[in-house]
Amino acid sequence: MMLHNRINDVQPGGVLRVVATDPSTTRDIPRFCQFLGHELVKQLEEDDLFIYLIRRGQ
């Protein structure tokens, strides 16, 4: 829900950087992007952090 609100603050074509600590985001964020038409530009894991770059769709 919080991600849905934050992505709405980004202009279409803009990129949102998400940093999470919950491992379930490796499943949830790609599904979120696919379902809502956003592009998952990058997904990486550093130490205990999960970092995502999401380009907002139209």
Side-chain angles (χ1 to χ4, degrees):
M1 183 66 142
M2 290 173 27
L3 178 55
H4 189 74
N5 291 337
R6 293 292 298 153
I7 198 77
N8 286 333
D9 293 338
V10 177
Q11 294 294 321
V15 176
L16 176 66
R17 181 174 184 262
V18 177
V19 179
T21 57
D22 185 350
S24 70
T25 59
T26 60
R27 176 195 67 231
D28 296 341
I29 288 184
R31 287 181 182 170
F32 169 86
C33 291
Q34 182 180 15
F35 184 73
L36 294 174
H38 305 303
E39 176 189 358
L40 182 56
V41 176
K42 191 168 195 174
Q43 175 179 347
L44 56 103
E45 184 177 343
E46 292 181 358
D47 301 318
D48 292 332
L49 297 178
F50 302 91
I51 302 167
Y52 306 90
L53 296 179
I54 301 169
R55 184 177 320 279
R56 182 177 172 187
Q58 300 299 319

